[in-house]
Amino acid sequence: RDMTLSSKRRLNRPRQLITYQKGKWALDSSPPNDLQYVFISWQWDAFGSTEEERKTKVHLMAEYMTRRAGLTAYWLDNECNAPKSEPALLTSDVHRMSDVIRGSNHVALLLPDGNDYRMRDWGQRMWTLPEGLLAPGQIRLCTWQGEGKYHVREMGKVEMTSQFWLDKDDKEGDCVLEEVPSRILAENFAGLIDLSPLELFSLGLAALCNRTTSNNFTRSDEAYALMGLLHYRIDTDETDELFQVVARLSLANDSDHFIERIFAMFPLSTSTIRDMFKICADKDQYRTHLWDIQPNCQVVGIGAEPNTVILNNCKAVTIRWRQFPRIHNQTHEGLKKLFAQLFVTSGAWWVIQGYSLAFTYAPFLLWIGVSNDQPLYSDNLYKYLVGLIGGFLATGFLLSFSSPYAVRRLFSSQALKSAPHLVGFEGIMPIDDIEEVAFGNCQHRLTYEPSATPYSAEKRNPKFRMGEEPDWVRDSNPAAARVPLQPGHRLFTLVDTGNLTVSIFQAERPPSVALICGAEGGALRAVL
């Protein structure tokens, strides 16, 4: 691989410039290193219907802006970039254009007229966003007013957000972006605020994915355009998907574990990876920003398959999809439970002692009854022995008769600890029926998790942090749920026997494991 064409290598000077020499403008393939130049930003299809008309207008405006600045050189992409016949050099020029912008004297934006839709159309192009953000100082806007007539004015980056960079609202479902990525990026590159690497990465990716492009050099142009805004760069690979390039870019820039945090997010309704990146700077379904999540795992490599990475130090919990196991738990040790234990364990002791007395003293009682002339004979002694034996037996039988109630009381105490298992099944079931299947009886041990899934927010206890059973679960009517079922998804129920909670979620297939990928707000975030 030719390292001189590597997109990782910064371009100190433009390879080519259009310079004014000997009374005419011409393409210079070896411009002087100290030659200042104007970077020309424009939109090819806005300057007429024919290629010749576009070329004439743009060159006239570019030459005017260069002379107006007192310079003798300008950079124009379709002239100074390599031709399509040299794809490797063209790719290198496109992905290192950010170096050309940073090294320019200023950026001149050319428009055929001053109509608002022209400004918005330029601002919605993906590759023009870095041109405006990376421009040194203010941008000089030049509009065509007729042959030899131009209108020029200067605009700041923040000012351009109201006329050029209008972010699209993502309205899939009920989602409307709360953050305005382009505005925040403009404030950062204007020096008004200082974004963290994670904020710059996520906001830049969101802003670029919300824009259009007429020329797709690769399937991951958004990530390569983002690369121009960052410190460290990566080599281009046309076979990589967008997710793989973003992951490699994140690893190269150490952007506060961007990909790891993405794993722990629960984005609003998305259908593709690109849709997810569009709203990565906004809050997710738990009303949490990307930078509020603390990752518990680490990406150590990029997989060869699309949308695949290799995780390290990620804790996992197996989900059981068979019958409920025998659940061992520790219950509350109260006074009622103590009496129940005494009733269950002492009933048999009283009966055994009664029979033991009866068999021990039976020969003696019979001997006394036959030998009435014996001096030791006493009616009182006989009565005492019979009463004692009868008392033991009566007490034992009374305690034994109360054993069913005592056993029920013994095993219905409040559960303090329980053996941890994740047990799942397809569909829904009333929580009382789940408890009878899991524990053999219903003592209201289980509760709904109040914030585990979107279904948890439908009904919560107003006083305690616990969920309540939705009416549609009790009536076995999933169609009445507030959260719509996504195409191809099915409903599943997950029972956590450790926390004694129940959660309802939807997925295409039953997950076999829960990956603990992050934490936020005192709660862990698990990916199923």
Side-chain angles (χ1 to χ4, degrees):
R1 186 184 181 93
D2 187 357
M3 288 303 297
T4 60
L5 303 182
S6 173
S7 55
K8 295 173 62 175
R9 185 183 179 125
R10 291 188 178 272
L11 194 64
N12 293 327
R13 293 288 298 173
R15 291 190 311 103
Q16 302 182 110
L17 287 173
I18 299 176
T19 60
Y20 186 75
Q21 297 179 4
K22 299 179 180 180
K24 64 178 181 177
W25 296 89
L27 182 65
D28 188 351
S29 299
S30 300
N33 291 334
D34 60 347
L35 182 63
Q36 295 191 38
Y37 60 92
V38 178
F39 182 93
I40 303 299
S41 178
W42 63 300
Q43 189 175 327
W44 175 257
D45 56 2
F47 286 88
S49 56
T50 64
E51 182 175 354
E52 187 63 31
E53 182 183 3
R54 295 167 183 163
K55 199 171 183 180
T56 301
K57 283 186 177 181
V58 169
H59 277 288
L60 287 174
M61 297 176 72
E63 292 165 5
Y64 171 78
M65 293 299 294
T66 304
R67 289 195 302 268
R68 187 177 184 273
L71 303 178
T72 59
Y74 64 89
W75 188 94
L76 191 65
D77 57 355
N78 67 324
E79 299 284 349
C80 299
N81 280 337
K84 292 183 179 180
S85 58
E86 301 180 62
L89 185 56
L90 176 60
T91 300
S92 174
D93 286 343
V94 170
H95 295 139
R96 294 193 293 178
M97 200 181 339
S98 58
D99 298 328
V100 180
I101 302 170
R102 289 186 174 99
S104 65
N105 180 273
H106 65 272
V107 171
L109 170 57
L110 310 184
L111 293 177
D113 52 59
N115 292 330
D116 290 341
Y117 79 90
R118 294 289 190 189
M119 300 180 185
R120 290 193 296 269
D121 195 25
W122 179 88
Q124 286 302 318
R125 299 300 177 100
M126 184 188 67
W127 291 102
T128 61
L129 181 63
E131 294 176 4
L133 294 176
L134 299 176
Q138 293 191 320
I139 297 174
R140 301 181 187 182
L141 174 62
C142 177
T143 55
W144 178 274
Q145 301 290 319
E147 188 70 32
K149 298 179 181 179
Y150 312 102
H151 179 264
V152 180
R153 65 187 178 108
E154 294 187 355
M155 296 187 68
K157 298 180 178 66
V158 177
E159 183 184 358
M160 293 184 68
T161 58
S162 61
Q163 295 179 272
F164 290 85
W165 297 322
L166 300 177
D167 287 298
K168 298 177 182 178
D169 286 341
D170 192 302
K171 295 184 178 179
E172 295 180 4
D174 295 328
C175 166
V176 177
L177 293 178
E178 293 183 0
E179 303 293 343
V180 185
S182 297
R183 168 75 186 205
I184 301 175
L185 289 171
E187 293 178 0
N188 176 74
F189 283 96
L192 301 178
I193 61 174
D194 188 14
L195 294 177
S196 68
L198 177 61
E199 290 174 318
L200 176 60
F201 197 99
S202 58
L203 288 168
L205 186 59
L208 291 167
C209 286
N210 273 294
R211 278 167 167 74
T212 59
T213 177
S214 57
N215 295 319
N216 290 315
F217 296 96
T218 68
R219 292 178 292 182
S220 310
D221 282 347
E222 294 89 346
Y224 291 125
L226 173 65
M227 182 171 67
L229 306 179
L230 305 177
H231 184 187
Y232 296 103
R233 304 177 184 177
I234 57 176
D235 285 321
T236 58
D237 189 339
E238 296 182 359
T239 63
D240 279 351
E241 298 287 345
L242 176 61
F243 181 82
Q244 292 171 290
V245 179
V246 171
R248 291 199 293 123
L249 201 56
S250 173
L251 290 176
N253 284 274
D254 190 27
S255 55
D256 293 325
H257 306 287
F258 175 81
I259 292 296
E260 290 88 337
R261 295 172 193 263
I262 281 287
F263 279 132
M265 283 194 76
F266 196 175
L268 295 160
S269 179
T270 57
S271 57
T272 64
I273 293 294
R274 184 170 274 99
D275 290 337
M276 181 182 69
F277 288 146
K278 285 181 182 179
I279 57 176
C280 66
D282 200 41
K283 294 180 179 179
D284 66 357
Q285 295 197 37
Y286 297 117
R287 312 300 299 165
T288 301
H289 279 112
L290 187 72
W291 41 85
D292 295 328
I293 299 172
Q294 295 299 322
N296 290 344
C297 59
Q298 182 181 8
V299 174
V300 295
I302 313 299
E305 298 180 0
N307 305 330
T308 306
V309 294
I310 302 171
L311 292 179
N312 185 34
N313 196 31
C314 187
K315 296 180 174 59
V317 182
T318 303
I319 300 177
R320 182 186 180 100
W321 292 95
R322 299 190 301 274
Q323 70 276 9
F324 280 87
R326 183 177 180 181
I327 302 173
H328 302 277
N329 54 32
Q330 179 182 343
T331 56
H332 177 68
E333 301 291 342
L335 189 61
K336 293 181 179 180
K337 184 178 178 181
L338 177 61
F339 280 115
Q341 289 176 336
L342 291 175
F343 280 18
V344 172
T345 57
S346 63
W349 182 86
W350 285 93
V351 173
I352 292 172
Q353 292 300 320
Y355 280 113
S356 177
L357 288 173
F359 285 114
T360 301
Y361 290 99
F364 179 68
L365 294 175
L366 292 174
W367 178 69
I368 291 177
V370 173
S371 305
N372 290 333
D373 57 344
Q374 294 296 324
L376 295 175
Y377 174 78
S378 170
D379 291 337
N380 292 333
L381 179 60
Y382 183 82
K383 292 177 181 179
Y384 289 152
L385 288 174
V386 172
L388 182 62
I389 294 172
F392 269 90
L393 292 175
T395 302
F397 283 123
L398 287 175
L399 292 175
S400 297
F401 287 143
S402 65
S403 292
Y405 172 78
V407 170
R408 184 179 179 88
R409 188 68 195 176
L410 189 63
F411 290 97
S412 64
S413 302
Q414 179 183 0
L416 299 179
K417 295 180 181 179
S418 182
H421 298 280
L422 289 182
V423 183
F425 61 88
E426 184 175 354
I428 56 175
M429 184 187 298
I431 195 169
D432 292 344
D433 296 344
I434 297 176
E435 188 169 338
E436 287 188 7
V437 174
F439 294 93
N441 60 359
C442 179
Q443 294 295 330
H444 305 293
R445 305 175 184 87
L446 297 178
T447 59
Y448 280 94
E449 176 60 47
S451 58
T453 70
Y455 293 100
S456 303
E458 291 195 12
K459 199 170 183 180
R460 293 177 179 172
N461 190 293
K463 295 183 179 180
F464 304 100
R465 192 183 181 279
M466 56 187 296
E468 295 183 349
E469 188 167 64
D471 295 335
W472 60 271
V473 175
R474 192 180 302 107
D475 299 335
S476 299
N477 183 23
R482 296 180 190 174
V483 181
L485 197 63
Q486 299 296 323
H489 283 206
R490 295 174 286 170
L491 280 179
F492 297 93
T493 301
L494 186 66
V495 182
D496 183 355
T497 62
N499 292 327
L500 299 175
T501 56
V502 177
S503 302
I504 300 173
F505 66 96
Q506 58 173 287
E508 293 183 2
R509 294 176 296 274
S512 59
V513 68
L515 301 176
I516 311 299
C517 291
E520 176 272 325
L524 294 176
R525 292 206 167 196
V527 179
L528 302 181

